Amino acid sequence: MMNSTQLAVIGGGPGGYTAAFLAADMGIKVTLIDEADNPGGVCLYRGCMPSKALLHVAKVLTEAQEARAWGVDFGEPIVDVARLRTWKNEVVDRLTRGLGQLTSQRDVTYLTGRAELLGPRTARVITKSNEATELIFDHAILATGSRPALPPEFSIGSDRVWDSTRALEVPSVPRSLLVVGGGYIGLELGSVYATLGSAVTVVEMADGLLPGADRDLTAVVVRRLSAICEELLLDTRVTELAEDGEGVRATIEGPSVGVLDRWFERVLVAVGRVPNSEIPGLKCTGVRRDARGFVVVDGQRRTDEPAIFAVGDVVGEPMLAHKASHEARTAVGAIAGQSGVFEPAAIPAVVFTDPEVAWCGMTEAQASAEARPVRVCRYPWAASGRAATLDRPTGVTKLIVDSESEVVLGAGIAGTGAGELIAEAVVAIEMGATVSDLRLCVHPHPTLSETLMESADVFFGQSTHVYRQKRQR
Ligand code: FAD
Ligand code: NAD
């Protein structure tokens, strides 16, 4: 069967479905292709959403425990893992079915199947039942996303070695869990399992967790993770895994630990993701990939093949849903003849551990690597009334400010709700706000958002809730 469409979108994740919906809203005839019955991609089916549902449960369990200090005792929580799994699946189901409805309401043609390219203007979709549909398009957007990286030393063909997709299924709560990689997934899912009762060991090869974040921010989460995890091993690598009885034997090496031989019931490998850029037929087009396999695009997300664009994880880091959806808007704008390019000053990063860690714009480490003259203003949450009422006084909010122009270049927050709070800093940075702008905006009291205003106060040497002796100024 041969069909034609103005825009073919391959991949139904946040990049793909955002592009398809916007294009349809602009009057473009769109065909969206994904293997799943409804759009959603990694983010909804096996990424952002199921992980945040599980993290919510972990937070509730933690708060139930903390409540004893406030005079409330809920007793010993009993976790019904089967019900937890069902609830998490219901969340995913509700959201993906919602996207399915939005797809049909917009008259986007949705093809369930795997797409391959036949040339610069033609694709073929193979459905689950092995039927083929050919599609002629004016433009295409590749939004095929990414998948977990599984280096050969971890690829031992054992179902006791999990990737993030398997861990999100919560097949069991193992007595012991080795988490390889102290990045986003390792810390988010590691803390879920630690809270559910697993003895979790995190092994990270860099000298700090979350290598992209400033150390003073990660210190806040490290304090808590140290309390709930069995061990956090830094500057250490897992060099070998081998199935052993009901579990897995791991060789762990590092300067501070030497060579360790340990047994774990399960292992979660979370050492990054690789782009799904081996789209069959790509070679029939001018689309180019770089050495790491990312599709090469320009500022408008156009590939070297003029009619084909690419967005999201498949074009590079940061591999974040909100980056994918913004790139999608740029690409659709370009297809519609607009001149906008994708050049955000601040893409927020949020790690949804408890407490959360969030940052955007320039980090302190970047400023110092670039020898950029900046002033860093830190506001400790111990001085925040709202943090005290939440019994979460360990946190920090900081601003990275250009010393000369006083423009806010970056922000970092570690503490409960940091992911929500960082949005204000994103707006400030994108609007070119100065530290005075932040200071002079009236913030609601008592809220954690005041910590951003008071960090700005710190720049001027006077913050209401922080006393600094005159000689220290
Ligand atoms: P994807 O969401 O990967 O979607 C690509 C889709 O294309 C998939 O459905 C795939 O099956 C389909 N596809 C691939 N090839 C073909 C083909 N040939 N034909 C048809 N279909 C094809 N990001 C955040 O911003 N916040 C978070 O909290 C967050 N949490 C995460 C938690 C986990 C555990 C993981 C793994 C990721 C998380 N991410 C998070 C990252 C986020 O999921 C990705 O950045 C985002 O999904 C990328 O969107 P995308 O549209 O590029 O691709
Ligand atoms: P990551 O890049 O965040 O972290 C991987 C970590 O593994 C790094 O710190 C790296 O130094 C370490 N590592 C690599 N090889 C190792 C080895 N052999 N031994 C020990 N440590 C090793 O990758 P991830 O956690 O797999 O997540 C993938 C991507 O998915 C993230 O980069 C992010 O873009 C996205 N994601 C985002 C969120 C969110 O936004 N909250 C949540 C989950 C995933």
Side-chain angles (χ1 to χ4, degrees):
M1 204 167 51
M2 176 75 87
N3 289 303
S4 71
T5 188
Q6 285 176 288
L7 175 63
V9 181
I10 303 178
Y17 76 74
T18 303
F21 290 1
L22 174 60
D25 290 347
M26 292 167 95
I28 296 171
K29 188 178 166 196
V30 186
T31 303
L32 174 61
I33 307 143
D34 195 289
E35 287 162 301
D37 290 339
N38 285 305
V42 167
C43 181
L44 277 89
Y45 284 102
R46 46 192 182 275
C48 326
M49 294 310 172
S51 60
K52 265 78 258 181
L54 295 176
L55 281 157
H56 173 65
V57 173
K59 180 108 200 263
V60 170
L61 282 170
T62 304
E63 286 183 340
Q65 211 171 31
E66 288 173 347
R68 289 186 194 134
W70 317 326
V72 183
D73 194 338
F74 293 100
E76 236 3 90
I78 298 165
V79 180
D80 176 346
V81 177
R83 178 66 203 128
L84 168 61
R85 209 180 288 134
T86 304
W87 174 72
K88 180 258 310 169
N89 292 343
E90 283 166 357
V91 171
V92 171
D93 198 47
R94 190 175 337 124
L95 293 170
T96 50
R97 270 190 294 114
L99 286 178
Q101 278 166 8
L102 290 170
T103 305
S104 51
Q105 283 164 345
R106 284 178 157 97
D107 279 336
V108 169
T109 303
Y110 188 75
L111 298 180
T112 306
R114 208 163 169 74
E116 53 188 57
L117 289 159
L118 301 175
R121 296 287 173 101
T122 331
R124 178 164 49 207
V125 181
I126 314 286
T127 64
K128 268 187 209 157
S129 51
N130 238 2
E131 281 162 31
T133 303
E134 286 195 14
L135 199 60
I136 297 175
F137 54 80
D138 297 337
H139 289 99
I141 297 180
L142 311 177
T144 50
S146 64
R147 61 183 184 280
L150 189 63
E153 61 272 30
F154 306 139
S155 189
I156 60 167
S158 166
D159 60 7
R160 297 185 175 102
V161 178
W162 295 348
D163 61 12
S164 56
T165 306
R166 186 70 178 139
L168 286 169
E169 288 165 5
V170 201
S172 63
V173 178
R175 274 162 298 161
S176 58
L177 177 70
L178 168 65
V179 175
V180 190
Y184 283 79
I185 293 177
L187 298 193
E188 288 188 357
L189 294 185
S191 49
V192 166
Y193 278 94
T195 311
L196 290 177
S198 300
V200 171
T201 298
V202 178
V203 173
E204 165 58 50
M205 68 179 189
D207 60 5
L209 298 176
L210 297 172
D214 280 335
R215 299 296 90 193
D216 55 344
L217 300 180
T218 51
V220 176
V221 76
V222 166
R223 217 170 299 147
R224 162 131 177 90
L225 287 175
S226 308
I228 62 168
C229 291
E230 192 72 8
E231 244 178 329
L232 301 177
L233 298 174
L234 302 177
D235 204 3
T236 306
R237 271 170 180 274
V238 175
T239 51
E240 206 180 329
L241 297 177
E243 204 165 77
D244 179 6
E246 294 299 302
V248 177
R249 192 154 282 286
T251 310
I252 302 171
E253 297 182 29
S256 59
V257 294
V259 180
L260 300 175
D261 177 42
R262 294 267 182 87
W263 185 92
F264 299 90
E265 197 172 305
R266 293 291 180 269
V267 176
L268 165 61
V269 178
V271 294
R273 296 179 65 81
V274 290
N276 292 326
S277 59
E278 312 86 352
I279 303 160
L282 202 66
K283 286 210 173 95
C284 318
T285 71
V287 175
R288 201 163 42 92
R289 299 188 305 152
D290 68 14
R292 294 176 63 199
F294 291 115
V295 171
V296 177
V297 286
D298 68 9
Q300 291 200 303
R301 295 313 182 242
R302 192 188 294 266
T303 67
D304 286 4
E305 180 66 58
I308 301 182
F309 291 70
V311 302
D313 286 7
V314 76
V315 303
E317 282 160 356
M319 293 197 195
L320 298 173
H322 42 277
K323 189 243 26 172
S325 55
H326 268 263
E327 287 180 317
R329 290 188 190 103
T330 304
V332 172
I335 289 166
Q338 296 167 6
S339 58
V341 291
F342 181 76
E343 48 184 25
I347 300 176
V350 182
V351 187
F352 292 86
T353 41
D354 181 18
E356 295 173 356
V357 183
W359 66 99
C360 67
M362 184 173 280
T363 63
E364 194 175 345
Q366 270 172 326
S368 112
E370 291 171 22
R372 177 114 187 201
V374 294
R375 278 176 60 194
V376 179
C377 323
R378 272 187 197 80
Y379 183 79
W381 283 26
S384 156
R386 186 60 180 140
T389 63
L390 296 168
D391 198 14
R392 289 302 184 112
T394 45
V396 64
T397 297
K398 72 173 182 181
L399 297 173
I400 290 101
V401 182
D402 186 276
S403 310
E404 210 173 294
S405 65
E406 300 188 357
V407 166
V408 180
L409 301 174
I413 307 175
T416 203
E420 306 288 339
L421 296 170
I422 201 70
E424 177 179 344
V426 174
V427 175
I429 293 168
E430 289 291 353
M431 304 280 296
T434 63
V435 69
S436 299
D437 293 325
L438 267 184
R439 182 191 203 195
L440 295 175
C441 287
V442 179
H443 284 65
H445 179 74
T447 63
L448 295 170
S449 72
E450 289 169 296
T451 65
L452 278 157
M453 179 185 68
E454 293 221 36
S455 311
D457 284 338
V458 167
F459 182 89
F460 298 98
Q462 198 279 327
S463 153
T464 308
H465 297 99
V466 179
Y467 176 67
R468 298 167 77 206
Q469 284 180 343
K470 279 198 177 107
R471 60 186 163 79
Q472 290 178 325
R473 280 189 192 149

